[in-house]
Amino acid sequence: MAGDQYLRDMRKLLILFAACCLAAACTREPQPEEIVAQTAKTYYDLLLQGKYEEFVDGRFQPDSIPAGYREQLITNARMFVGQQQEEHRGIKQIRVANAKADTARHTANVFLVFAYGDSTNEEVVVPMVERRGVWYMR
């Protein structure tokens, strides 16, 4: 019987500890690595959703680009997805493996893992640059 009470008390402590950790996690400011990692993943999620224009808009362009060049970038994105479909039965999931940000230089490298339909995985690096508070792919 005393053992049962001990287990109930330990469960209560565990639940309280988990609640405190969750509250602390919800109130802290996100780190630059977390922000840039989620941004890179979002761009690639847009690519997988067939939103090629939005994916291209996530690329850093120091100046405006000609419409023809933009169309080429969109076509390249579409071709990339098609190639992955042919070679690996498509990209089924994208996960963040790691991110390293240099806030002084406004640059970062995000390491994403592509999980393919043929059960293989590939880690890719996505160089990022921050301009006016927005992270873009380089």
Side-chain angles (χ1 to χ4, degrees):
M1 296 294 169
D4 290 340
Q5 182 61 41
Y6 176 77
L7 288 175
R8 282 192 295 273
D9 289 342
M10 290 308 292
R11 278 190 206 122
K12 289 178 185 176
L13 283 173
L14 183 60
I15 291 169
L16 180 62
F17 177 74
C20 289
C21 289
L22 183 60
C26 291
T27 59
R28 70 174 177 80
E29 288 290 318
Q31 296 299 308
E33 288 83 5
E34 294 169 321
I35 294 168
V36 71
Q38 189 56 49
T39 302
K41 182 181 180 317
T42 298
Y43 290 141
Y44 274 87
D45 285 341
L46 289 169
L47 179 69
L48 293 186
Q49 295 167 16
K51 298 180 179 179
Y52 306 114
E53 296 84 4
E54 290 90 339
F55 175 77
V56 168
D57 291 341
R59 290 176 45 105
F60 177 70
Q61 301 294 333
D63 297 314
S64 62
I65 59 174
Y69 179 58
R70 185 173 190 281
E71 284 304 314
Q72 286 178 344
L73 293 174
I74 293 167
T75 299
N76 286 346
R78 187 176 289 115
M79 288 172 47
F80 172 77
V81 171
Q83 179 183 12
Q84 299 312 306
Q85 185 64 38
E86 286 178 21
E87 293 179 6
H88 299 286
R89 295 194 314 231
I91 301 171
K92 300 304 177 191
Q93 182 185 33
I94 296 175
R95 297 184 311 272
V96 174
N98 199 2
K100 304 283 185 192
D102 183 342
T103 55
R105 295 185 179 177
H106 304 278
T107 61
N109 285 320
V110 177
F111 300 88
L112 299 177
V113 176
F114 292 176
Y116 293 106
D118 64 3
S119 300
T120 59
N121 293 302
E122 179 180 12
E123 185 172 286
V124 298
V125 63
V126 181
M128 304 285 286
V129 62
E130 181 188 25
R131 292 296 182 264
R132 297 184 190 106
V134 177
W135 285 99
Y136 296 96
M137 297 177 290
R138 274 195 286 174

